[in-house]
Amino acid sequence: MSTIDKTLTLINFENNWCAQCYTQRPIINKISHDFNSYLNVRVVNSDAHPELAKKYNVYSAPSTILLRDGKNR
């Protein structure tokens, strides 16, 4: 994830079985498309990557965090 270090990154933690995550997905895709010149958007399945969810203290889905210079602000 080297692209996180120098720019803004939006990380959306979701699960495949989550109805709210499914509803939110088009919004995240629109943000990714509209702001792709200066915002990295990453979608993470928190069930498949529990260590990453733990790193950012994510305990429920969907959870969205914004990183600046690789740090949660």
Side-chain angles (χ1 to χ4, degrees):
M1 296 175 90
S2 62
T3 57
I4 289 178
D5 297 335
K6 302 288 181 190
T7 182
L8 289 174
T9 301
L10 182 98
I11 303 177
N12 186 50
F13 289 90
E14 64 178 32
N15 295 313
N16 293 335
W17 50 264
C18 172
Q20 291 86 0
C21 300
Y22 179 78
T23 303
Q24 183 175 308
R25 196 170 296 145
I27 299 166
I28 297 298
N29 289 339
K30 177 85 169 132
I31 291 169
S32 177
H33 180 265
D34 290 350
F35 299 101
N36 68 352
S37 61
Y38 59 90
L39 179 67
N40 289 316
V41 176
R42 302 288 185 249
V43 177
V44 176
N45 184 322
S46 55
D47 284 341
H49 302 283
E51 69 286 344
L52 192 58
K54 184 177 178 182
K55 177 181 177 180
Y56 292 108
N57 297 318
V58 172
Y59 297 104
S60 63
S63 290
T64 305
I65 60 171
L66 182 64
L67 302 176
R68 182 176 181 185
D69 298 327
K71 297 177 184 159
N72 193 358
R73 304 282 176 164

